[in-house]
Every structure is written in structure tokens, then in C-alpha cells.
Amino acid sequence: MTVGYDVDFLGTRLPLPLPAQTVRTLPYPRFTVLLDPERRLAAVTAVNIDGATLQNLPRTGDWRLDERLPPDEQAGPEVYARNDLDRGHLVRRRDPGWGAVATARAASEATFFYPNAAPQAAGFNQSKQLWLGLEDHVLAYAETTEQRVSVFTAPVLAENDPSYRGIRVPLRFWKIAAWHGRDDLAAAGFVLDQSALVDTREGTLDVAPLGGFRTFQAPIADIAALTGIDLAEMIAADVLVRPGARETAWRALDSAGDIVL
């Protein structure tokens, strides 16, 4: 089983996107986390998904700290206790769970290390129509087309993210799915916004009604500008801005049917 993100997985070499800041490189089975030790959260996660051999295994695994890092570089259980924050998987449990059952299970269980989590408002993470719905759409595409897909996900680590329990809670998340199209690399980028859901004033945390959540398909060049991450190969492959694309502006999504792939 490959340990870490495989740059040659799609048949077209796709480097691991690198942020500008110092990060800790953490390889896991079939995925890699680049952790920002100052923010104690991932700046980039990258996972390879083989839609032809994807398994549907029962949930196993428990959240735990990664012993390769000191605890004070990870956003651990104290961040999520007694509040409305979920430990949101960045690389989803099922994403690396493909191939033989034993290896699929081991890869899925590796997604429960805290460097692969980010604080998400409970309704944001649990809604099938929103965050999970978007990821399910990517996985369904991989399964039905028996495609190989590489997915990159992380919070937008902005300077103005609100402070809470020793971390700054990210208000936006980004995701890019990449695959080999008819002739060459293709990619689609998304931004998910929970800023209207999270209020950390007065040192507490309040989660507003779900109506404030927003999801967009966005040009990958805009994601690179938001994050400071080198996404050059995927900018050139962006299905939203290629010749003949219907539009190049941010595209608000109300359902998976609005996604341009």
C-alpha cells in the first residue's frame, strides 16, 4: 500500500500543492497532510481515490493525536469538547478506502488522526446537501466512471479567523478534485463558507442556523490567491475557465446538479 499522496496516480504527474508557510509533512496510507504547526491545522491534504475498487466499509477508528508531532502542534480533543464544533474530516474516511479489504480498512482508519481534522460547525459538517453532499458527488463520479481521482482539501487559513481555545477557527474551506479527462488533466475547485455560522465572541462559541452556509464552485486561480498555495497545474486544467465554459465567475451551488465537471 502506497504511503502518502502519489503524484503519478492519475497517469499525468500532479505534484503535491505546496503552501508558502512552513509545514510538517505527514504521509498516511494513500494520503498526505501538510500541517501548519503555528495554526495547528492542515494547510493542504491530498488523497488518491480509485473509483474502480472503492470499498463501502463500516466505520471503524477513533480520533487520536499523531505521535510524530508534539501535542501543541495539533488541534486535539480539547478544541471540540462541550461545544457545537465537529471534528470535520478533511480527507474523508472513505476516500483512501479502496483495494483489498484489509488495506482499505487500514487506510480509512488512518483518517482519524487529528492533523486530518478541522473544526466545522456541526450543521456544516453533517449536512448531506452541503459539505458531505459535495464530497459524495465526487466519490459517486469516481465510482460510476471507474475513474481515478485526486482530491485536495483544507481550511483557508486566514489572518482574521476568530480565536477560540488556543486556535483560530477557519471560516472557509477549499476543495479541488482532479482527474484525467478525455485528453489531459481536468480539475474543479470549490469554496465552502461557514463564516455566518460561527461566532466566537466573548470567548464562547455559538453556531447559527444553517441558512447562513454557502457553497461555490470557484476558479482554481482564485483558490490559489486565497490560500497562497501553488496550484499552477490545476489552474491550467480548471473546467470552469477552459474555452467554451459557460461561466468563469464564482458559481453558487444549491445542489450537486449545479456542479460543472
Side-chain angles (χ1 to χ4, degrees):
M1 177 167 47
T2 301
V3 176
Y5 167 76
D6 181 357
V7 300
D8 294 313
F9 182 74
L10 300 181
T12 298
R13 177 167 284 249
L14 183 57
L16 180 65
L18 297 177
Q21 72 267 42
T22 298
V23 293
R24 307 282 191 255
T25 301
L26 300 169
Y28 299 97
R30 296 178 177 148
F31 70 98
T32 294
V33 175
L34 300 182
L35 185 85
D36 182 329
E38 181 180 349
R39 289 295 300 266
R40 301 167 61 193
L41 297 169
V44 175
T45 68
V47 60
N48 305 123
I49 307 171
D50 183 357
T53 63
L54 200 61
Q55 299 282 357
N56 189 15
L57 301 174
R59 182 185 178 104
T60 57
D62 296 306
W63 286 102
R64 57 205 186 277
L65 296 173
D66 191 319
E67 295 180 354
R68 295 173 292 182
L69 295 175
D72 61 3
E73 290 188 359
Q74 305 175 61
E78 68 282 354
V79 173
Y80 303 94
R82 302 178 304 280
N83 58 33
D84 287 327
L85 286 179
D86 278 350
R87 292 167 290 198
H89 276 80
L90 296 172
V91 173
R92 280 188 57 188
R93 177 183 64 83
R94 196 180 173 210
D95 288 354
W98 46 270
V101 170
T103 54
R105 181 177 292 110
S108 296
E109 290 180 353
T111 66
F112 284 90
F113 282 103
Y114 274 106
N116 186 45
Q120 295 170 350
F124 171 92
N125 183 39
Q126 294 170 6
S127 172
K128 286 290 184 183
Q129 289 71 43
L130 301 172
W131 179 247
L132 293 186
L134 174 59
E135 297 205 15
D136 284 340
H137 187 73
V138 172
L139 282 182
Y141 178 79
E143 282 189 292
T144 57
T145 60
E146 297 191 346
Q147 280 264 23
R148 289 188 163 200
V149 180
S150 292
V151 177
F152 310 88
T153 309
V156 177
L157 300 178
E159 291 296 326
N160 62 345
D161 288 336
S163 296
Y164 178 70
R165 293 186 180 178
I167 68 164
R168 280 177 283 160
V169 178
L171 299 181
R172 289 183 291 185
F173 293 78
W174 61 272
K175 181 182 300 294
I176 300 172
W179 63 96
H180 198 280
R182 292 181 180 176
D183 301 309
D184 54 7
L185 187 71
F190 306 91
V191 174
L192 304 103
D193 190 334
Q194 67 173 1
S195 58
L197 303 181
V198 176
D199 183 357
T200 62
R201 291 174 296 183
E202 309 301 330
T204 62
L205 181 138
D206 294 312
V207 175
L210 193 57
F213 181 92
R214 295 178 298 168
T215 310
F216 302 91
Q217 185 166 356
I220 296 172
D222 290 1
I223 296 175
L226 276 175
T227 61
I229 297 169
D230 183 359
L231 300 171
E233 289 82 359
M234 288 183 282
I235 290 172
D238 192 348
V239 296
L240 198 62
V241 298
R242 281 183 164 182
R246 286 176 287 172
E247 55 189 279
T248 60
W250 286 43
R251 179 182 176 87
L253 303 178
D254 294 318
S255 70
D258 297 328
I259 296 172
V260 175
L261 292 179

